[in-house]
Amino acid sequence: MSKVKQQKPLCVWNPKPLKRVKPTNKKRLREREKTNPFSFLGQLIPLAKTGLPLWMLGLAADRLRADMNRLLSFLFHQGILDEQFLQLQQLQDETSPNFVSEVVNIYFHESEKLLRNLRSLLMDREFSDYNKMGIHLNQFMGSSSSIGAKRIRNVCLAFRAASDQNNRAGCLSALEVLEHEYCFLKNKLHELFQIQQQRVLAAGVRYPMQH
């Protein structure tokens, strides 16, 4: 039988023995516990800047990685995202840690302007400029494709088909679906970015994160 290699501990730390704190010296005991609240375990445990033991941060990082993978798997399985989003993620590294969130936030900003314009056009009782609507939809489809927002792009295609037929009722229906899909995507990607920020904190990486 092959020997199973023992995994290295998450934190290798050999503290010097601490002097026993006299029970009567409550002030010193309180000061030590303020510095390291985990000292009740018998010896001081190394803390990260977050105030948590390093071994806890390792477990938290693993859990957050699993949470992120589950969320991404769901978004791809449901056809909400496609491989273009993965290509964006590959461009992100320690030199540009906020690359994906910055690109997506620009997309959100531009998309909300396009949605307002589309609704404004359709709410006008004298509306007849379907060519202008088509221009907005082409912009929406292009930006959605660039970040891998597959389902929104497909809704835009259906919207465009109704617009090409001058079908106002069909356009109104498509707009409602588009607004719903946009809000769903925005909420899910914000959730994903929050998990990523928590992973950065858990891993102890010291570059700035976008708020």
Side-chain angles (χ1 to χ4, degrees), residues 44-210:
L44 288 177
I45 293 177
L47 300 183
K49 287 193 172 184
T50 58
L52 291 174
L54 296 181
W55 64 268
M56 279 192 179
L57 289 180
L59 294 176
D62 290 341
R63 179 182 60 79
L64 291 167
R65 186 183 302 110
D67 289 344
M68 189 176 73
N69 289 338
R70 276 193 294 269
L71 180 54
L72 280 172
S73 178
F74 168 79
L75 294 174
F76 282 99
H77 181 72
Q78 296 296 318
I80 297 166
L81 295 177
D82 62 20
E83 63 278 357
Q84 180 61 29
F85 188 80
L86 294 178
Q87 293 181 20
L88 277 183
Q89 287 187 313
Q90 291 173 359
L91 297 175
Q92 180 167 292
D93 55 26
E94 291 186 5
T95 62
S96 55
N98 302 322
F99 177 76
V100 176
S101 63
E102 287 172 355
V103 170
V104 171
N105 281 332
I106 293 171
Y107 167 76
F108 287 153
H109 179 72
E110 295 301 319
S111 296
E112 287 173 11
K113 288 198 296 185
L114 289 171
L115 285 170
R116 285 195 298 269
N117 290 339
L118 289 168
R119 180 160 286 281
S120 178
L121 285 173
L122 285 171
M123 291 300 102
D124 184 357
R125 292 184 178 181
E126 298 180 359
F127 167 72
S128 61
D129 193 353
Y130 286 94
N131 288 331
K132 189 174 183 179
M133 180 175 290
I135 292 172
H136 291 325
L137 289 170
N138 285 340
Q139 292 175 348
F140 213 156
M141 281 189 288
S143 59
S144 298
S145 296
S146 69
I147 70 157
K150 179 180 178 181
R151 205 151 80 180
I152 287 183
R153 182 195 64 207
N154 291 341
V155 174
C156 285
L157 286 171
F159 198 156
R160 181 61 194 266
S163 176
D164 289 343
Q165 297 174 3
N166 295 353
N167 182 350
R168 183 169 183 166
C171 287
L172 283 168
S173 177
L175 177 61
E176 290 182 1
V177 175
L178 183 57
E179 289 173 335
H180 171 78
E181 290 294 338
Y182 169 77
C183 290
F184 184 79
L185 175 68
K186 185 175 182 179
N187 289 336
K188 288 299 179 184
L189 289 183
H190 277 170
E191 182 181 345
L192 179 68
F193 296 147
Q194 286 174 357
I195 294 174
Q196 288 178 333
Q197 288 178 350
Q198 291 170 20
R199 279 189 64 194
V200 168
L201 292 175
V205 180
R206 296 176 183 172
Y207 47 76
M209 293 301 294
Q210 182 172 339

Side-chain angles (χ1 to χ4, degrees), residues 7-30:
Q7 293 184 349
K8 294 182 179 180
L10 293 173
C11 178
V12 179
W13 193 72
N14 298 315
K16 295 180 180 179
L18 297 173
K19 293 182 180 180
R20 184 180 297 276
V21 178
K22 296 180 180 180
T24 55
N25 196 343
K26 295 182 179 179
K27 184 178 179 180
R28 288 180 60 194
L29 182 59
R30 284 197 298 269

